[in-house]
């Protein structure tokens, strides 16, 4: 079984790492097989994040779904609970949380190469047809998985047609971009956001009210190195384009992602 192999140190396929790789994260989770859970669960214990699964349950889901992707989607779903902060809140399962985790699993499985049917195989088997106070009904959950799968598919199709975007949109076009005075963050009418990139966290970039991305050169002068435009995606409502027409995607919560779905930066309020 694939998920059992993922927990073994000598596994030929490290599913946990594959999932975290496609979203640009370190695998800071511990995967444990246990009979103490009926199916699978994301839990936090002593400040550490665990992904627990019952091997017999996962085996039965793989058999019923007729694909090992079924077990992988369950693991991705539970990881989605951790990454969306659901395990940090008390109160147990909530329908909205389950749909977020479903959407995440669909996104991840498309990035890993699963078809839509393979991504939905587990939920088609294990979910209840009717909604409950803690979980949505089957059709709603399958739609959420489909939404995540389509989002990832759109990114993959787009990246196959265009050059890979820059992980740090600081390159200057062959014709130098105009340099103009840019107010510092003390003047909110001009500066509406700050962008920090993981590979160069000390360099200051600001988003102005005109949606220009400005690299600060000193306390009062900056250079326009890119521009933010709106997109038609609800999950990635903005696109950052640099001077060489390379693109990054800004999520609804301010995460800045490359075309491989890896988070490379963060857009936040000016500090």
């Amino acid at each position: 079984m694939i998920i059992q192999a993922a927990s073994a140190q000598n596994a030929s396929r490290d599913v946990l790492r594959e999932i975290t790789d496609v979203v640009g994260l370190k695998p800071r989770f511990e995967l444990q097989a246990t009979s103490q859970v009926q199916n699978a669960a994301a839990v936090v214990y002593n400040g550490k994040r665990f992904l627990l699964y019952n091997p017999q349950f996962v085996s039965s889901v793989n058999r019923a779904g007729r694909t090992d992707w079924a077990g992988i989607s369950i693991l991705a779903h539970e990881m989605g609970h951790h990454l969306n902060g659901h395990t940090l809140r008390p109160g147990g399962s909530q329908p909205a949380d389950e749909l977020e985790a479903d959407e995440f699993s669909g996104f991840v499985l498309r990035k890993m190469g699963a078809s839509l049917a393979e991504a939905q195989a587990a939920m088609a088997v294990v979910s209840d047809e009717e909604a409950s106070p803690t979980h949505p009904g089957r059709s709603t959950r399958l739609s959420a998985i489909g939404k995540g799968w389509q989002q990832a598919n759109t990114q993959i199709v787009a990246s196959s047609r265009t050059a890979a975007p820059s992980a740090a949109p600081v390159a200057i076009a062959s014709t130098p971009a105009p340099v103009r005075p840019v107010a510092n963050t003390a003047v909110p009418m001009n500066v509406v956001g700050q962008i920090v990139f993981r590979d160069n966290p000390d360099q200051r970039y600001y988003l102005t009210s005109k949606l220009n991305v400005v690299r600060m050169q000193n306390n009062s002068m900056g250079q326009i190195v890119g521009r933010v435009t709106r997109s038609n995606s609800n999950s990635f409502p903005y696109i950052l384009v640099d001077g060489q027409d390379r693109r990054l995607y800004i999520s609804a919560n301010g995460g800045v992602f490359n075309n491989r779905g890896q988070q490379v930066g963060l857009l936040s309020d000016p500090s």
Side-chain angles (χ1 to χ4, degrees):
M1 184 179 64
I2 289 181
I3 289 188
Q4 284 180 306
S7 63
Q9 292 183 353
N10 61 350
S12 59
R13 183 179 183 185
D14 188 344
V15 176
L16 190 64
R17 183 172 292 277
E18 287 185 46
I19 293 175
T20 52
D21 280 350
V22 299
V23 291
L25 297 173
K26 297 293 184 182
R28 296 191 177 97
F29 310 90
E30 185 169 323
L31 181 65
Q32 286 191 358
T34 176
S35 60
Q36 299 302 308
V37 296
Q38 186 175 7
N39 37 54
V43 300
V44 178
Y45 182 71
N46 286 338
K48 188 171 183 179
R49 294 185 289 186
F50 292 88
L51 298 171
L52 308 178
Y53 70 95
N54 187 311
Q56 293 183 344
F57 167 76
V58 175
S59 292
S60 65
V61 171
N62 281 341
R63 289 194 299 270
R66 299 182 180 181
T67 173
D68 284 347
W69 286 112
I72 296 173
S73 73
I74 290 173
L75 179 58
H77 173 94
E78 297 304 330
M79 189 179 294
H81 281 308
H82 275 313
L83 296 179
N84 283 292
H86 303 158
T87 52
L88 301 178
R89 301 194 298 263
S93 298
Q94 300 290 332
D97 291 350
E98 296 303 322
L99 291 178
E100 284 188 352
D102 289 337
E103 185 175 331
F104 176 82
S105 73
F107 181 90
V108 164
L109 262 68
R110 175 61 186 95
K111 290 282 189 174
M112 294 175 68
S115 69
L116 178 56
E118 290 168 334
Q120 294 174 322
M123 202 55 61
V125 172
V126 303
S127 61
D128 293 329
E129 183 175 356
E130 299 297 328
S132 73
T134 59
H135 290 75
R138 181 180 299 129
S139 62
T140 305
R141 302 193 70 175
L142 293 177
S143 295
I145 294 171
K147 179 180 178 182
W149 191 95
Q150 291 292 352
Q151 288 172 349
N153 191 59
T154 299
Q155 289 185 12
I156 292 170
V157 171
S159 65
S160 67
R161 295 176 180 174
T162 60
S166 170
V170 299
I172 302 173
S174 55
T175 301
V179 178
R180 66 184 68 171
V182 177
N184 60 29
T185 55
V187 184
M189 70 177 66
N190 290 324
V191 176
V192 297
Q194 179 175 349
I195 304 175
V196 176
F197 292 98
R198 289 180 173 179
D199 62 353
N200 191 11
D202 295 327
Q203 176 66 61
R204 294 183 299 163
Y205 296 87
Y206 293 109
L207 178 64
T208 72
S209 58
K210 294 183 178 181
L211 298 183
N212 290 319
V213 177
V214 177
R215 180 180 62 189
M216 294 304 296
Q217 297 176 316
N218 53 49
N219 289 333
S220 61
M221 296 292 293
Q223 186 170 30
I224 297 175
V225 295
R227 180 168 175 79
V228 170
T229 60
R230 289 187 176 273
S231 74
N232 294 323
S233 170
N234 291 330
S235 297
F236 296 92
Y238 295 96
I239 299 174
L240 195 161
V241 184
D242 72 1
Q244 296 184 9
D245 202 33
R246 293 175 294 192
R247 300 187 176 195
L248 295 173
Y249 305 90
I250 302 176
S251 68
N253 61 2
V256 181
F257 294 81
N258 62 21
N259 68 327
R260 297 182 296 278
Q262 299 171 326
Q263 185 169 355
V264 297
L266 180 66
L267 170 63
S268 61
D269 292 335
S271 57

